[in-house]
Amino acid sequence: MNWLDSLTEAFTRRQASHVSRRSFLSSLGKWAVGASVLPVLPVARAQNEAPPSEADMTGIDDPTSCNYWRYCALDGYICACCGGTATSCPPGTVTAPLTWVGTCHNPVDGRDYIISYNDCCGKGECGICPCLRTERDKPVYHPQLNNDINWCMGAGSLAYHCTIGAIVGLAES
Ligand code: ABN
């Protein structure tokens, strides 16, 4: 281990003679800030979620259940419980023209579909059938792929009521 001691000593002496105290402290500070910020940087954590287990499959074909296959990235109240359907807003609400999209697996035909999640707006929160699923949900800096946004901003009224899940098309792999 003598060689390591010598090497470390030589390196330390060299640094001491070439680097001022101020610049050493400044570098140390930058490293400390960098190391503390790195773990809190936003990352997409939802990408590798496991598929639902056998026990979770109840309701996978029921549009009023949060387990319905089309709702794999739905965050909100299910419109089918609020006087609408899986694809249409309840009477008295307006379908938001801006949406976010997800890709859900249909277990019946084994294919993946692109789903448009439209918020229904113009009435207060429905409050029935809350649902939060996050398959392939992306951080908010990919807004079109993030579900935690009130998309009523494009609908004339910011009042959020519920969310539908309409098939846009097949997701080609
Ligand atoms: N897109 C559903 C939603 C609405 C309001 C607030 C958060 C999420």
Side-chain angles (χ1 to χ4, degrees):
M1 273 300 180
N2 264 351
W3 66 270
L4 187 59
D5 289 346
S6 308
L7 199 69
T8 309
E9 184 185 345
F11 176 77
T12 310
R13 284 188 186 283
R14 198 180 140 72
Q15 289 296 308
S17 63
H18 283 78
V19 181
S20 71
R21 189 182 313 165
R22 178 180 296 200
S23 113
F24 172 75
L25 288 175
S26 150
S27 305
L28 193 67
K30 283 180 196 157
W31 273 98
V33 169
S36 64
V37 165
L38 205 59
V40 296
L41 287 177
V43 287
R45 298 176 202 280
Q47 285 183 53
N48 298 320
E49 277 175 17
S53 68
E54 283 285 312
D56 289 343
M57 297 288 272
T58 42
I60 202 141
D61 56 355
D62 173 6
T64 63
S65 162
C66 189
N67 273 353
Y68 187 42
W69 71 270
R70 279 193 210 179
Y71 299 159
C72 71
L74 190 148
D75 174 5
Y77 297 107
I78 298 170
C79 285
C81 301
C82 305
T85 69
T87 53
S88 64
C89 284
T93 63
V94 174
T95 313
L98 301 173
T99 75
W100 75 107
V101 292
T103 304
C104 299
H105 184 73
N106 181 349
V108 175
D109 64 8
R111 301 170 108 172
D112 292 336
Y113 288 85
I114 298 169
I115 309 292
S116 166
Y117 297 100
N118 298 69
D119 286 343
C120 300
C121 316
K123 272 184 174 179
E125 286 186 354
C126 161
I128 310 170
C129 300
C131 180
L132 174 58
R133 289 179 59 193
T134 54
E135 258 176 56
R136 298 188 180 89
D137 182 32
K138 290 281 188 288
V140 75
Y141 53 76
H142 295 295
Q144 76 281 14
L145 301 176
N146 177 270
N147 62 15
D148 195 19
I149 292 178
N150 182 352
W151 286 104
C152 291
M153 61 183 129
S157 162
L158 268 182
Y160 165 76
H161 190 61
C162 61
T163 303
I164 59 173
I167 292 179
V168 174
L170 261 180
E172 305 290 349
S173 51

